[in-house]
Amino acid sequence: MRLMYTECAACVLLLLLVVVYFPAKPPSPPSLTASMERTNYLHGIKGLFKHKRFLVILVAYSVPTGVFGGLGAALDMVLDGVGVSQYQAGWIGFYATVGGCAAALLMSRIADQFLRHMKMMLLFLFVSGTAACLWLVLLRMSYIPVNLWSLYLSNILMGVFIYASIPLFFELGCEASYPIAEGVTVGVLTIANNVTGVIFLSVMQIPKIGVVWMPWATLGSAAVGIPLLLLFKENYTRTDIDTQRIIVPEPDPYRATSINTNTKVG
């Protein structure tokens, strides 16, 4: 309980700092496309759900990350069947989350250096993440010898590969849905992730369902992302404008400027 109060106080402090310090916008636009007119929020949300390429990203992102997040919330119950205490399960989940955060920062930097290769990076992460999920399933079902270090490593690798995909999905989703505003796109992706996690955890309300199904569901959710990514067609219109592969008139900072990039929403 004391930890929760401490976290709450930290969140309130950060909120106050944001309100007091951060301006509504920077002195100049961070990119060329940031200064251009975008679809408004209501039309943007409607457009996203008519956008087939974005819907592929939506499912490929929200299902694996939402399910893995739900697994972390119930990890102590899942690993109880192989003799892991709640205390040990807590540390396993902690290191998986920390490893995932570090990997996400690293992948963000790598993606900056290798533009237009995010699909390939995501495929690598998901193939590797699926392998890590399979390892956990084999351990949990006692198909292979179980030891604490194997459980630690399998869960940490799951966190590393699945969570490292999040910034790439956000970026690829924004590229796919351009010119819809990034805030709308990322907001819808985040909501879908949370809804998936709620549905996953709600299944536990079914009487006598147990927890053995959870590692299997996590494995299936990670594997689902692979064919979806293979079917996804990359398009970097926003990046092409920002890097001047598509030439547009230079706008005044934050002055709404309409452009025609022959890009359709949907």
Side-chain angles (χ1 to χ4, degrees), residues 57 83 86 111 142 156 160 165 193 205 211 224 238 244 252 262:
I57 291 295
Q86 184 180 26
S142 298
I156 290 172
V160 165
S165 70
N193 166 272
Q205 302 301 315
V211 295
V224 162
R238 189 185 63 160
Q244 295 293 286
D252 293 331
N262 296 320

Side-chain angles (χ1 to χ4, degrees), residues 56 119 226-234:
V56 172
K119 176 179 175 178
I226 297 174
L228 289 175
L229 287 170
L230 288 172
L231 293 173
F232 179 76
K233 295 181 179 180
E234 289 179 287

Side-chain angles (χ1 to χ4, degrees), residues 16-30:
L16 291 175
L17 291 175
V18 169
V19 172
V20 171
Y21 174 75
F22 281 93
K25 58 185 179 182
S28 60

Side-chain angles (χ1 to χ4, degrees), residues 26-127:
S28 60
S31 65
L32 182 60
T33 54
S35 63
M36 296 176 178
E37 184 180 8
R38 300 299 183 87
T39 308
N40 66 44
Y41 275 74
L42 182 59
H43 287 89
I45 292 173
K46 292 180 179 179
L48 287 177
F49 288 98
K50 297 177 182 179
H51 200 307
K52 294 180 180 179
R53 294 176 63 246
F54 173 76
L55 292 176
V56 172
I57 291 295
L58 181 71
V59 176
Y61 161 74
S62 63
V63 173
T65 56
V67 169
F68 182 68
L71 177 72
L75 192 61
D76 58 327
M77 294 182 289
V78 173
L79 298 183
D80 181 64
V82 288
V84 175
S85 68
Q86 184 180 26
Y87 176 81
Q88 292 170 326
W91 280 110
I92 291 174
F94 170 80
Y95 287 119
T97 302
V98 171
C101 292
L105 291 173
L106 177 62
M107 287 305 301
S108 299
R109 182 57 180 164
I110 293 174
D112 286 340
Q113 299 300 313
F114 298 96
L115 294 173
R116 302 177 182 84
H117 292 89
M118 283 184 281
K119 176 179 175 178
M120 181 181 65
M121 296 178 194
L122 284 169
L123 281 170
F124 166 76
L125 292 173
F126 267 61
V127 170

Side-chain angles (χ1 to χ4, degrees), residues 91-257:
W91 280 110
I92 291 174
F94 170 80
Y95 287 119
T97 302
V98 171
C101 292
L105 291 173
L106 177 62
M107 287 305 301
S108 299
R109 182 57 180 164
I110 293 174
D112 286 340
Q113 299 300 313
F114 298 96
L115 294 173
R116 302 177 182 84
H117 292 89
M118 283 184 281
K119 176 179 175 178
M120 181 181 65
M121 296 178 194
L122 284 169
L123 281 170
F124 166 76
L125 292 173
F126 267 61
V127 170
S128 302
T130 301
C133 292
L134 177 60
W135 189 12
L136 176 65
V137 168
L138 295 176
L139 289 168
R140 177 57 182 82
M141 302 306 296
S142 298
Y143 293 147
I144 58 177
V146 181
N147 60 71
L148 188 59
W149 287 109
S150 295
L151 293 170
Y152 263 96
L153 190 55
S154 61
N155 277 275
I156 290 172
L157 289 176
M158 287 167 59
V160 165
F161 293 126
I162 292 177
Y163 283 152
S165 70
I166 293 177
L168 301 186
F169 271 122
F170 282 177
E171 189 71 16
L172 203 57
C174 291
E175 291 284 354
S177 61
Y178 182 82
I180 295 173
E182 289 86 349
V184 178
T185 300
V186 173
V188 170
L189 287 171
T190 302
I191 291 171
N193 166 272
N194 291 328
V195 169
T196 303
V198 169
I199 294 173
F200 178 78
L201 293 174
S202 297
V203 176
M204 296 180 65
Q205 302 301 315
I206 300 175
K208 300 180 180 180
I209 193 171
V211 295
V212 175
W213 61 275
M214 286 187 165
W216 288 103
T218 307
L219 172 62
S221 69
V224 162
I226 297 174
L228 289 175
L229 287 170
L230 288 172
L231 293 173
F232 179 76
K233 295 181 179 180
E234 289 179 287
N235 184 2
Y236 295 95
T237 302
R238 189 185 63 160
T239 297
D240 287 341
I241 293 173
D242 287 333
T243 57
Q244 295 293 286
R245 288 197 176 190
I246 296 177
I247 306 299
V248 295
E250 186 71 24
D252 293 331
Y254 289 108
R255 181 180 178 182
T257 303

